[in-house]
Each structure stands twice: as structure tokens, then as C-alpha cells.
Amino acid sequence: MGDTCDVIVIGAGPVGATAALLLADYSLKCIVVEARREPQRHPAAHVLSTRSMEIWREIGLERDIRRLSAPMHELRNILYCTSLVGPELGRVPLADLPRAQLDAIESVSPTRGAHLPQNAFEPLLWRALRDNARIELRTRWQYNFHTDAADGVSVTITDIISGMHRKLFARYVVAADGSASTVRRSLGVTMDGPVLQHMVSVHFSADLERFRHSRRGPVILTYTAKGLGAVMVHRQPQDLVFQIPYFPPVESLDDFPAAVCRRHILDAVGDADVVIEIKSIQSWTMHAQVADSFRVGRVFLAGDAAHRFPPTGGLGLNTGVADVHNLAWKLAWVICGRACKTLLDTYEQERRPVGIAVTTESVTNFDGLLEVIVALGIPRRSVHQLPRVVAAVPEWLPRRAVRALIRGFTTLGYQRLRLAQSPGRVGKRIRRRAAAVIAGQGPLYHSWGRDLGVRYRCGAVIDDGLPPASVDSQFRSPRMRAGGRLPHSWVEGRDGRVSTLDLVSRDELTLFVSVEGHTAWSAAAEGLPMSVILLGNDELGVFHTGIPGADPDALVVRPDGHIVAALHSDRDGTASLRRALAVVDAPSSAKVLAHE
């Protein structure tokens, strides 16, 4: 391919890899620059949302992801226990839901979410990158700096092994190089928001099946007298993860060697005879931060480079995938001449408010988890203040003495959790109190409504003037709104049953029309660069607003599946279609490609 391409992607994690695959699907050439030599070995992120699966479905990855992901019977519940052998405190059902709720979840999309750890997912993505003739994956090269020019951007990269420099040229750069983004720092873009917690993540293998026969789920939260933890069951028995909170600068990763981590895991299991094999130990920081800007010149920030959330609800990776899905078609249209470059301004206008909203929700979810600790007897003030107190410790104080003091304080606090294991009346009362809190934690994990209910209020959309739809963040009932995702409905066609999402054109706007408005809209769209799709009476739910008399009979939809405009044939016409083209900065004089 050489050193010139359409788009340079920095970072080959799930977000960067997805960006390159989406851009290549628009026939753009990409160079992906990745400092690592191989895919992620640590499981890391693992929740793949329904909307992300829709996006990967577009580029042909859904079947392979589904083949590798955990079966549904392993995803039944989120468990809260004193230990794996101790009393259960409560559970939040994921798959163990009433039939009516499961039917509602499956009806809103042609696919469903999956559970696949990053160390199994990334190799699949890297194979897809290497198999794509339009993508060149350059591993063991790292971003150094870049220079904007009038017609493009030059990026200097450095070979990590030899130290050799090389200069790449492209029209644009997508920075998906993670939470410590070198690109973001070079741009001078800051992140606003607090640091919530520091965690040690231990990748291990162990046979825990005998402890899980009635506790099937991807996450088991544990509360023992020696501390808090979370067991992530990715692929039993080889891919398990245990999360341990720690407190810098008093503590560091060096304070958690394999022997210490093994003791923490055995304590959470509750059986000292279990054989634990430690595979890797990493640290990570739980942020609630959003970048001040998602774009500087020809460089766009996406994923953790643009926003960092607590992991509760699995919002980080999935929000990043939605970032690049929003961006890819805009870059493709601008580069290929289908739209003016001002369309690219709408990326930040649309995605940054989403990042802010998700950050707020993630903090709420994190606080929800802390409520369980409070219910178990640890004072609320201590729960909230301890990380801040530790972070404020002066650097000149002796580290060993401060660490002993903090550990003594936390050990004393954790002793209160011992009561939750006791068989007497006090233990039962504490467990009932915790169970009541856990019973209300469904919104922390049920994200179907939140996931599919993202709505852009400004950018490349036209406000429909309707009040916001009442959105249940857990179980979404489809309600059409301009700026929102096109509702899914199965459509019978010449090639069999497809989703309305499958009918969205990638090369032009798509005009979905009802039978009632078909004649008027076909005439209005004549000569305009729009694909016209007729939906039959069985698919009229796509137009449903939930407001009597407000349902439109036409929807203008962008390549990313979001609705540009909701129109009514009795008061809208060709002028409205031209306005829809104008808001995506697309010319309105091109040959129309019509479908019926």
C-alpha cells in the first residue's frame, strides 16, 4: 500500500479496528498504527451491546462473534455473594427474565448483545484487518507526532524495536489509542472529570464449577471480611478475572504480586484448596471523564481517547464503537465527494453530548454498587471519602507508615462485612437489607433501552418538534424520533426476510415511506440522490411515535441508521427533502436510485 492512504487509524483495539473495517467497507484505504505486536492477552472489556452487534453485523462479523461468545445459559444473572461458598446476598437477572421481557428485547433488533472477552475478540478483529485488502496493519509502530496541511495530514511514526522513523500521509486521522492517548496529549486536549477508583485486574485460571452450579453468570461480586472483589467468568476455567480495589499513591501494582493476588482470590472463593494459576496482573483506573474536544483539525478522537467511564454497564467499549460508526460514513462521504467537509463538524456535536450523558450515568451506576457496601454496614461517609483522603496524602509522608495506616483502616471497616456471613438474626437482617438494595440494581446492567435509545438533538438532524420519548433505559419500547436510530422491523423481500436496518443505503440518504404516502413521496424525491424504500402495512411500527396523530409517513435516514427527518406528506414535500440533504451537506442534484 505504501505510506499514503485515506485515513490513518491510531490504535488497533476494538474501537480502532472497527473504525478501519467500517472505513474499508466504504472503499477507503487505511493504515492502522499499533504499538503492540499482538492482540490483547488480558480479558479486559467483555460486554458487547446490541447496538455494537448491529454495527459489526454490517461488516460481516456478527456470526464469528456469536460463535466465540458465551452461551446464554452462562449469562443468567449478576451475582452478589459474601464468598463463592458463602451466603448469597442477591442477584440481578440478565437472561433469567420473564418471557414477555425477553420477547420485547429480541423484537427491537435483528441481533442481540454478546459476552466475549477482549483477549478472544481482538484476535478476530486483527484477522479481519489483515484479511482486508484496503487495510494495512502496522504493529510495533507508535505514533510520534503529526502535522496538519491544507489537503491532508502527515503522521510520523516510530518503530519500537529499531527506533526508525517513518512518515505517513492521509486525509484524516482517527485516534483510538486508549485512555492514555498520546494523540490526545499531543493535541493539548484535556479531560474533565474525577478519578473514582484504582483497580488491580488479575487474569487467572481455576476450576470453579463446583461453586457455580446454582450461580451462573458473568460477574460474581464478593464481600468478605478481608475485602471486596469481583470474579469475571469469561471462559471457564481458563479465562477468569478478579478485580481488587487499591489506593495509590499509598499502594502500587508492585504491592500485588502473584502470591498476594492468589490470597485475595482464595478469600473470595472461600476454599483454600482451590488451585489458582495467575496468568497476568494489570492495574487500571476508573475515570469519569470526557475530552474537551473530540476533534482538532484533521484528527478525531474516539473511544477511550475521547471519554473514560466506570465499567459498570459495559458502556466504554460500546460507546467507542458507536463513535466510529457515527464518524466513518461522514469521513467516507467527504473524502469521496458526496458531502462537504463541514459535515465532519457534526461528529463532535453529536457524540460529545452522548459521552457526557454516559459519563453521568456511569457514575450513577458506580454509586449504585457502593450502596450495597453501605447496606452491609460500612458507613456511607467512609465509602465515599476513603479514595479522596488517600489521594490527598502529602507525598512527603513516609509511604510505609501511611500504607499501614490505610490498610489498618480498611481492614477494620471490612470486618463489618463478617456479620453478613453469620447464620444468626443479625446476619439474616443484614442480608435482607442488602438484597433489597440489589433488587433495585437492574438499571446498572439492563441497558437495552439506553443502548438503542441514543438520540442526536443537534448536528446532521432536523428536530421533529416532538417531546422526548419516555425511554425505559432497561427495556426499550421503540418510539420513533428524529435523531434516533431507525426502529427495527422485519421486512419480507425478494431475497427473504431482512431488517429495516439492512435497507439503509451507505452511499446516499434513504427515504422510508408508507403505503399511504408512497405516491406523493416518490414524486417529491424524483431527481434527488435518495434511495426510496416502500414499507408495507406490517412495518408501520417503524413510523410509530407513541403520540396520537403524530406519526409521519416518511423518514429520511443516514447511513449510520439515525433518522435525519420525520416528514408528513400533507405538509412536507421536495423542499423538506432538500433541507434533509442540506443538513448532511450533500448536494441535491444527482441521479436518484429508487427501490420499491
Side-chain angles (χ1 to χ4, degrees), residues 5 7-12 15-17 19-20 23 30-34 172-176:
C5 64
V7 180
I8 298 168
V9 179
I10 310 297
V15 173
L23 291 165
C30 300
I31 296 175
V32 181
V33 178
E34 171 56 57
Y172 296 97
V173 172
V174 176

Side-chain angles (χ1 to χ4, degrees), residues 482-536:
R485 161 189 162 278
L486 175 73
H488 154 72
S489 180
W490 290 115
V491 179
E492 296 294 338
R494 288 189 293 269
D495 298 325
R497 193 174 72 152
V498 297
S499 169
T500 46
L501 299 174
D502 300 327
L503 300 176
V504 175
S505 172
R506 302 173 67 77
D507 299 326
E508 56 192 355
L509 296 182
T510 306
L511 181 64
F512 287 88
V513 300
S514 69
V515 173
E516 184 179 278
H518 180 237
T519 300
W521 286 116
S522 294
E526 187 173 354
L528 298 179
M530 288 187 179
S531 297
V532 181
I533 303 291
L534 172 62
L535 296 180

Side-chain angles (χ1 to χ4, degrees), residues 467-473 475-479 481 545-546:
S470 56
V471 176
D472 182 339
S473 65
F475 306 104
R476 177 176 184 259
S477 297
R479 293 290 185 267
R481 290 292 188 276
T545 63

Side-chain angles (χ1 to χ4, degrees), residues 347-469:
Y347 170 65
E348 179 173 320
Q349 293 169 11
E350 294 175 351
R351 293 306 301 173
R352 191 167 183 273
V354 172
I356 293 170
V358 174
T359 300
T360 301
E361 189 162 353
S362 296
V363 172
T364 300
N365 289 347
F366 177 68
D367 288 341
L369 285 179
L370 297 182
E371 289 302 311
V372 178
I373 304 173
V374 174
L376 291 172
I378 296 181
R380 187 184 307 273
R381 182 182 179 86
S382 299
V383 171
H384 287 282
Q385 291 297 326
L386 179 60
R388 299 169 188 157
V389 170
V390 174
V393 171
E395 293 185 5
W396 53 266
L397 287 177
R399 183 170 176 269
R400 181 177 297 180
V402 175
R403 181 172 57 193
L405 180 63
I406 295 298
R407 287 184 175 176
F409 179 76
T410 55
T411 299
L412 183 63
Y414 289 147
Q415 289 303 306
R416 293 172 177 260
L417 301 179
R418 190 184 299 276
L419 293 173
Q421 295 179 291
S422 64
R425 287 183 300 173
V426 173
K428 291 180 180 179
R429 184 172 70 248
I430 291 173
R431 290 195 293 274
R432 283 197 301 269
R433 190 167 61 204
V437 172
I438 294 166
Q441 296 206 327
L444 276 63
Y445 307 101
H446 300 161
S447 60
W448 297 282
R450 175 196 314 116
D451 181 41
L452 301 177
V454 170
R455 180 187 182 191
Y456 303 137
R457 303 304 298 267
C458 61
V461 297
I462 299 172
D463 186 19
D464 54 19
L466 297 177

